Every structure is written in C-alpha cells, then in structure tokens.
Amino acid sequence: MTTPPPALLIAGHGTRDEAGAEAFRDFVRELGARHPELPVAGGFIELSPPPLGDAVTELVERGVRRFAAVPLMLVSAGHAKGDIPAALSREKERHPGISYTYGRPLGPHPALLNVLERRLEEALGATGGRTPLDRADVTVLLVGRGSTDPDANAEVYKAARLLWEGRGYAGVETAFVSLAAPDVPSGLDRCVALGARRIVVLPYFLFTGILPDRVRQQTEGWAAAHPEVEVRSADVIGPEPELLDLVMERYEEAVKGDLRMNCDSCVYRIALPGFEDKVGLPQQPHFHPDDDDHHHHGHHHGTHTHAH
C-alpha cells in the first residue's frame, strides 16, 4: 500500500479586513479543488478565523498524520520564523503521532515578480482617460508590510532590486507601511529627490486588506499635495495562477526536504548591529485570539515579542 502524501497546511498572517480574510479562505479552497489528491486546509496566526490549530484539527479528524506547512507570506519575519514553528510544535503536543515539515515563505520568486510586473503594466496602461506611460519614465515605489526584523525588511529591498533588473523602469525604490522607515510619504519624497516625475506605487502584498488600503490612502494624500508629480497606484498580487503554483512548489520542497531557509541574516542566529539580544532566543507561539487554549488569557507576548 502506498503512503498517502502529506497534507498541505497553509498558514496566513491574519487580517482585521474581512475581504482580505475571505480572499485567503477562497485561495485555500481553490488550491484544494485543484489538488483533489491532497488534503488541504488553512488557518491564521492571529486576527481572523479560523486559527491555524483549527485547520490542523480538521485535517487530523480526516485521518491525516503527516503535514507539510507552507506560510502564505512574502517575507520571513517573526510570524514565519517563530510563530508558525512554535504553533506547529504545540499542535504536535495536542495531537500525538502527527509529524510535519515546514516550507519557505513565497518571495521573492520569479513567478511573483512576473505578477508584480503585470500589476505595474496595468497601472501604466491607458485607463480612465489617462495616457499610457513609458517604463523608462517611471519610478516604482514597492511598499512592503514592514517589520521590526531587519532581515524581513531587507527581503523587500531584494524583491525591489530583482524587479528593477532587466525590466527597463527608471528605478525601483522601497518603502514600508508600518514598523520600518521609510514610510510611504517619505518613500515618495525620496523618488522625487532622485528626479522622478512619474511614480507607480506597487503594494508588496498578496491580498487586499487594511495595510494595502492604507498604502493607497497615503499615496492619494501625498499625490493631492504634489500635483506636479503623476502618481498611480497598482493593485495587490491577488490569487493568480502563479501564486497557486508557487504554493505547490513550496509544498514539494517541504515534502522532499529541499529546504533552503534564509538563515544567513536572521537575527535569531546572527548578531546584527542593534539586535544582538535576539540571538538564540527561544521561540514562543503567538496565541490566536480565537484559540480555545484555556491556559492563556488575552494576547500572549512571550519571549518572542513583536508589534503589529
């Protein structure tokens, strides 16, 4: 008898935006429909249901014993490095006999760069009576989530550089919507200081949500105050076929054990300037507010704390 393949468990950030949470749940359903041979479930670390633990329980009740978990996240920050592995180890205690492997975050993969390029092309095109823009005249501002983890922020810069390479834009600059500088207005100021007269703001986010909405609002606010600069907003990545394929690629890597986790500049392993106190810190689970774990009351800030 052949051993069934490990189930695919998809871990999301969580969002207070219902449309964003529903986009994640839709994506998980679509992935399951595309791969009927695989048990597929997904859950969130925080902020929105279902919690990751419920997704594990659902799969265990279907007879699953082996999992491959893939973080539906673009960069490896506190969630991917600490919260998800800690949550998975807790699930192992709850469900004796299960085993799991853990996949890599998604970006900056060439397939995602292709989708980002498509979003830019849509923004550059002739819509709403606007004239199409030439790439060579356009500076792109790639806006990431932002993190207290320098390695996660550096990953957004890497994505920006890879997006710039060979595509013919005047430049690709980087900004963050929270927790890291430069913020969106400062990023736009920087583009102008570098000579930009046409800017497309590109959100480095998978799905719609509160943070991508904030990027657009801040962009519109800045543009209203700078009528001499043409500013356009591009859309989020969205549930594109490339994203579905990439999650499966990360699943296959995890199943085969071909894991190349980015530990080269991880604050928990390497003493980076100003972050020396994080080296070797034990990782604690990030307790989901919808979790029914009665040992914890309120929001847990264990050894591994980070703001949201």
Side-chain angles (χ1 to χ4, degrees):
M1 177 174 158
T2 56
T3 314
L8 169 55
L9 177 67
I10 301 170
H13 271 287
T15 171
R16 288 188 181 85
D17 180 77
E18 181 48 36
E22 192 52 34
F24 171 89
R25 294 189 287 258
D26 276 347
F27 184 84
V28 172
R29 283 191 285 267
E30 169 71 17
L31 208 52
R34 274 183 166 224
H35 297 277
E37 76 286 2
L38 273 189
V40 177
F44 295 107
I45 291 296
E46 59 176 359
L47 302 176
S48 36
L52 197 59
D54 285 13
V56 172
T57 300
E58 177 198 325
L59 289 168
V60 167
E61 285 171 355
R62 286 162 63 182
V64 169
R65 288 291 171 268
R66 293 161 63 234
F67 296 83
V70 174
L72 200 68
M73 298 172 189
L74 289 166
V75 298
S76 192
H79 279 323
K81 288 179 179 176
D83 297 333
I84 297 171
L88 292 172
S89 69
R90 183 179 55 158
E91 292 309 315
K92 246 187 119 161
E93 288 171 21
R94 280 187 183 172
H95 304 283
I98 69 168
S99 64
Y100 63 85
T101 54
Y102 182 41
R104 294 195 286 161
L106 304 174
H109 190 281
L112 288 180
L113 296 171
N114 290 342
V115 181
L116 290 170
E117 185 176 10
R118 211 152 63 228
R119 295 290 172 258
L120 286 170
E121 281 302 301
E122 292 160 5
L124 295 181
T127 53
R130 299 184 302 187
T131 51
L133 300 182
D134 183 352
R135 285 183 183 205
D137 296 333
V138 169
T139 300
V140 177
L141 183 63
L142 184 72
V143 182
R145 173 176 292 263
S147 171
T148 53
D149 182 338
D151 178 46
N153 295 331
E155 285 283 304
V156 182
Y157 275 82
K158 183 174 181 179
R161 181 70 223 184
L162 290 168
L163 188 62
W164 191 353
E165 293 281 347
R167 286 185 175 81
Y169 301 109
V172 181
E173 293 298 312
T174 309
F176 299 98
V177 74
S178 65
L179 299 175
D183 61 13
V184 174
S186 304
L188 287 161
D189 288 344
R190 177 178 166 81
C191 292
V192 170
L194 290 168
R197 287 289 164 269
R198 294 192 173 94
I199 303 168
V200 176
V201 177
L202 177 63
Y204 193 47
F205 286 85
L206 292 174
F207 302 128
T208 185
I210 290 188
L211 294 179
D213 286 350
R214 192 179 300 162
V215 174
R216 191 174 281 262
Q217 287 156 8
Q218 291 178 353
T219 299
E220 287 169 0
W222 187 93
H226 298 80
E228 73 284 1
V229 184
E230 181 167 2
V231 185
R232 298 185 182 185
S233 288
D235 283 332
V236 294
I237 289 168
E240 295 292 293
E242 288 95 334
L243 187 58
L244 289 151
D245 292 343
L246 177 52
V247 170
M248 290 312 296
E249 190 174 318
R250 291 287 185 256
Y251 166 83
E252 297 288 345
E253 282 178 359
V255 169
K256 290 176 185 151
D258 174 25
L259 282 191
R260 292 157 290 179
M261 186 126 186
N262 168 26
C263 297
D264 304 337
S265 51
C266 170
V267 280
Y268 301 112
R269 293 171 184 257
I270 310 293
L272 295 182
F275 295 85
E276 293 85 354
D277 59 326
K278 293 206 173 200
V279 175
L281 271 189
Q283 298 300 292
Q284 303 288 344
H286 189 110
F287 287 93
H288 192 290
D290 292 331
D291 243 323
D292 56 1
D293 192 327
H294 57 271
H295 302 301
H296 297 273
H297 302 286
H299 194 58
H300 176 79
H301 285 288
T303 326
H304 176 194
T305 57
H306 50 267
H308 293 284

